[in-house]
Amino acid sequence: MGAAQRNYYGKALARLAKERDDVVVLDADLAGSTKTSEFKKVAPERFVEVGIAEQDMIGVASGLAASGKTVFASTFAVFATGRCWEQIRLAVAYPKQNVKIVSTHCGISVGEDGASHQALEDIAIMRAIPNMVVISPADAHQAYAATMAIAEERGPCYMRLGRADFPLIYPEDVKFEIGKADILREGSDVTLIGTGQMVSYCLDAAKALSEEGISAEVINISTIKPLDADAVIGSVKKTGCAVTAEEHSIIGGLGSAVAEAISESCPVPLVRVGTKDTFGESGKAEMLMEKYGLTAKDIVKAAKDSISKKR
């Protein structure tokens, strides 16, 4: 059973519209796709359609936040992190404004829209900005819970969501704690660390590995920044090697964050599963995930490679 994260983001916004008078939502001409339209149905007087003007959207968001509002600003990830980087850096992150930038249509599974719309660099871009929290939920239920959590947290936040249906991993009433990793499966031979929809592939890979007598621990890193380094280091100390899996470039994303943490505290073999310094292309989502090495089979192969490098 699967569900689209963006749909549950819309549901969470609709709930916030009823419960919080301080919440304002902005969109850049994509409300039907990002599902911010669900907020508009409940509180149209607190919804601002900025149009195709992403830089202006961030400026307006900053101003509203400075006046005491909790602001959600949404569009596709390539536009949210690319077109208005300077505005995010100087108008949101630098003054620590209470703005939540929530992007949809992340990763290569956007499919037929092609390279121009497949954000494979957004985590890296936002991770590098001081004061910015970076979140990538594992499924739709966690996306809902994360939306409610960041509404309570003051300060800048970036959250990336997918376009397509993802398998559901968590129960509907899951709680989300910013900066906390979840160990979804315990193991002793290798640590599989996933984010976003790749978490479900990590679980599939762990099951396949167990059939070959290999015990894999699975960790969901939904908050990439701040990283739960204690959970990562604690696991790799036990297993002695690791694999990271993300629907994002291996440069600057989850793989880089984990590599930085373990290299400083507990150096072990690490293999990163993600796109390899490349743009995507147009095609069916499943075919693209396979072509670019983002499947459970690729994680299984990476796990065996990581294990083989143990001292």
Side-chain angles (χ1 to χ4, degrees):
M1 183 181 175
Q5 293 178 322
R6 59 193 175 120
N7 289 340
Y8 279 70
Y9 171 54
K11 289 181 181 182
L13 288 181
R15 176 180 166 186
L16 287 169
K18 297 172 186 174
E19 297 180 354
R20 296 266 302 268
D21 290 340
D22 65 308
V23 173
V24 179
V25 174
L26 282 63
D27 206 293
D29 198 43
L30 289 168
S33 296
T34 63
K35 303 304 178 183
T36 58
S37 54
E38 297 303 308
F39 182 93
K40 183 180 180 181
K41 290 175 186 176
V42 180
E45 74 284 0
R46 287 185 278 127
F47 177 84
V48 182
E49 176 54 79
V50 179
I52 305 174
E54 291 83 0
Q55 295 95 331
D56 287 345
M57 178 176 72
I58 297 301
V60 171
S62 176
L64 287 166
S67 68
K69 303 300 182 183
T70 298
V71 187
F72 284 80
S74 290
T75 182
F76 290 177
V78 287
F79 309 136
T81 60
R83 286 189 174 174
C84 43
W85 178 84
E86 182 183 0
Q87 286 75 20
I88 292 170
R89 181 177 183 270
L90 293 179
V92 174
Y94 181 61
K96 299 182 183 178
Q97 296 288 20
N98 195 26
V99 175
K100 322 302 173 183
I101 300 160
V102 182
S103 68
T104 67
H105 294 61
C106 298
I108 212 154
S109 60
V110 171
E112 289 87 348
D113 287 354
S116 64
H117 282 56
Q118 293 163 348
L120 301 174
E121 318 85 14
D122 56 305
I123 295 173
I125 291 168
M126 302 305 275
R127 246 189 96 219
I129 300 177
N131 300 326
M132 186 66 67
V133 170
V134 179
I135 294 172
S136 176
D139 70 359
H141 290 159
Q142 198 173 49
Y144 181 97
T147 303
M148 302 305 293
I150 64 176
E152 294 295 326
E153 185 84 1
R154 291 201 64 81
C157 181
Y158 173 70
M159 183 162 72
R160 74 176 334 231
L161 305 175
R163 171 192 189 182
D165 288 357
F166 290 7
L168 289 170
I169 297 169
Y170 287 93
E172 199 166 3
D173 61 350
V174 62
K175 302 298 181 187
F176 188 88
E177 185 178 343
I178 295 170
K180 185 77 170 64
D182 291 333
I183 297 177
L184 301 179
R185 178 178 178 138
E186 294 196 353
S188 57
D189 297 325
V190 62
T191 302
L192 307 181
I193 304 169
T195 193
Q197 74 162 315
M198 297 302 290
V199 175
S200 66
Y201 289 134
C202 285
L203 289 168
D204 291 343
K207 184 178 178 182
L209 287 164
S210 70
E211 293 169 1
E212 298 185 44
I214 299 170
S215 175
E217 184 145 295
V218 177
I219 301 179
N220 169 29
I221 299 284
S222 290
T223 308
I224 298 168
K225 182 187 175 188
L227 182 76
D228 189 347
D230 289 343
V232 170
I233 293 163
S235 181
V236 300
K237 279 183 177 178
K238 176 173 62 172
T239 63
C241 64
V243 172
T244 56
E246 59 196 308
E247 194 189 348
H248 181 276
S249 171
I250 60 171
I251 301 169
L254 173 69
S256 292
V258 170
E260 291 158 13
I262 65 176
S263 66
E264 291 179 352
S265 302
C266 181
V268 298
L270 169 68
V271 178
R272 294 171 296 160
V273 172
T275 57
K276 310 293 194 293
D277 194 19
T278 184
F279 289 103
E281 61 185 289
S282 181
K284 297 289 184 186
E286 316 82 60
M287 296 175 68
L288 292 172
M289 295 292 280
E290 187 169 347
K291 176 172 180 177
Y292 289 88
L294 305 175
T295 69
K297 282 192 283 189
D298 295 297
I299 296 170
V300 167
K301 182 180 177 183
K304 292 177 179 178
D305 184 17
S306 191
I307 291 169
S308 73
K309 294 176 180 175
K310 285 190 195 182
R311 292 174 184 172

